[in-house]
Amino acid sequence: MDTTGRHPSTAQAVRGLAYDHLPRSLQTVSKPFHDLVTEMLRILPDDPELTAAIRKIREAKDCCVLLAALDDTAADEGRKLHG
């Protein structure tokens, strides 16, 4: 995600939205959040409200990725027990 020329607080807020390093199942969960913020950066100017919005989106992404990871772990454990 390119933050060239953006306010430092905007650039800092987008940290943690990369998803390429995640397993494919978690990339599927994380990518829509990344794409939403990319679009917001395209259409909105730097502003404290933009920074707050990006942080909240990142928090929501973190919750969803954690849930998906826990669900994958539970599914893996179930396969080990019954597999």
Side-chain angles (χ1 to χ4, degrees), residues 4 10 17 32-33 39-40 45 48-49 55 62 65 68 72 79 82:
T4 304
T10 301
L17 288 167
F33 295 95
E39 183 65 9
M40 289 173 55
E49 292 298 328
R55 285 186 182 138
D62 290 345
V65 170
D72 282 353
R79 281 191 286 275
H82 303 291

Side-chain angles (χ1 to χ4, degrees), residues 10-18 54 58 61:
T10 301
Q12 184 178 23
V14 302
R15 292 184 317 174
L17 288 167
I54 293 169
R58 191 180 62 204
K61 184 269 308 177

Side-chain angles (χ1 to χ4, degrees), residues 7 21 29 36 45 56 60 64 68 73-74 78 80:
H7 189 275
H21 64 287
V29 174
L36 174 60
K56 290 173 187 277
C64 291
T73 301
K80 287 178 189 173

Side-chain angles (χ1 to χ4, degrees), residues 1-72:
M1 182 174 316
D2 184 21
T3 57
T4 304
R6 300 308 296 235
H7 189 275
S9 63
T10 301
Q12 184 178 23
V14 302
R15 292 184 317 174
L17 288 167
Y19 60 90
D20 293 343
H21 64 287
L22 296 171
R24 189 168 305 263
S25 62
L26 299 182
Q27 287 183 17
T28 303
V29 174
S30 186
K31 185 179 184 307
F33 295 95
H34 174 275
D35 294 347
L36 174 60
V37 170
T38 298
E39 183 65 9
M40 289 173 55
L41 291 173
R42 188 182 72 76
I43 63 176
L44 296 172
D46 288 329
D47 186 89
E49 292 298 328
L50 175 63
T51 302
I54 293 169
R55 285 186 182 138
K56 290 173 187 277
I57 290 168
R58 191 180 62 204
E59 289 173 14
K61 184 269 308 177
D62 290 345
C63 291
C64 291
V65 170
L66 176 60
L67 176 60
L70 292 173
D71 190 50
D72 282 353

